[in-house]
């Protein structure tokens, strides 16, 4: 997808702090972290959001969640972590390439919105 920020990051056209890469998934540190640990996990194939996840192969969807679990395990977050995917304007999605935030390393608020 031309002019997609995260497609450019996946292709290495824009620098990122990589924390994970496999055949189907790329993950990197969020440039504006909202927690001590804040990583974004994206499919290499462009889809806009969870609303379009049906456009991915089942293996790609599984690979994203496996990567989330592996990244969190490698990060050693004994208190746990939060996984968020904003979808559309009500959720304030700002980059229209599917991504899962992994947030950890601190006590988070006991609410979702
Ligand atoms: P969302 O608002 O859920 O779409 O999340 C987009 C996230 O992308 C935000 O947390 C931004 O801080 C992050 N972000 C934007 N540009 C970059 C970049 N060049 N490298 C890393 N993270 C970025
Ligand atoms: Zn993209």
């Amino acid at each position: 997808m031309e002019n997609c920020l995260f497609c450019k990051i996946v292709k290495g056209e824009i620098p990122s702090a990589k924390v994970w890469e496999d055949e189907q998934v790329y993950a990197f540190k969020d440039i504006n972290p909202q927690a001590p640990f804040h990583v974004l996990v994206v499919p290499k194939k462009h889809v806009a959001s969870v609303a379009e996840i049906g456009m991915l192969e089942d293996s790609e969807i599984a690979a994203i969640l496996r990567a989330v679990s592996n990244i969190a395990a490698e990060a050693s977050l004994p208190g746990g972590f939060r996984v968020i995917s904003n979808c559309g304007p009500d959720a304030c999605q700002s980059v229209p390439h599917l991504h899962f935030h992994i947030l950890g390393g601190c006590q988070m608020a006991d609410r979702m919105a």
Side-chain angles (χ1 to χ4, degrees), residues 5-6 9 28-32 38 40 86 92-95 99 101:
L5 176 63
F6 288 174
I9 285 178
F28 51 101
K29 290 185 183 169
D30 196 293
I31 205 168
N32 182 24
H38 188 173
L40 301 173
N86 295 318
C92 302
Q93 182 180 6
S94 61
V95 179
H99 51 283
H101 299 255

Side-chain angles (χ1 to χ4, degrees), residues 28-73:
F28 51 101
K29 290 185 183 169
D30 196 293
I31 205 168
N32 182 24
Q34 302 299 306
F37 183 85
H38 188 173
V39 162
L40 301 173
V41 184
V42 311
K44 288 186 171 178
K45 187 195 290 182
H46 179 91
V47 293
S49 73
V50 169
E52 292 186 359
I53 213 160
M55 294 168 68
L56 295 177
E57 303 294 333
D58 287 354
S59 68
E60 292 170 308
I61 298 168
I64 295 169
L65 285 177
R66 285 190 190 283
V68 167
S69 179
N70 289 332
I71 291 162

Side-chain angles (χ1 to χ4, degrees), residues 1 4 6-7 46 97:
M1 170 69 73
C4 169
F6 288 174
C7 282
H46 179 91
H97 179 129

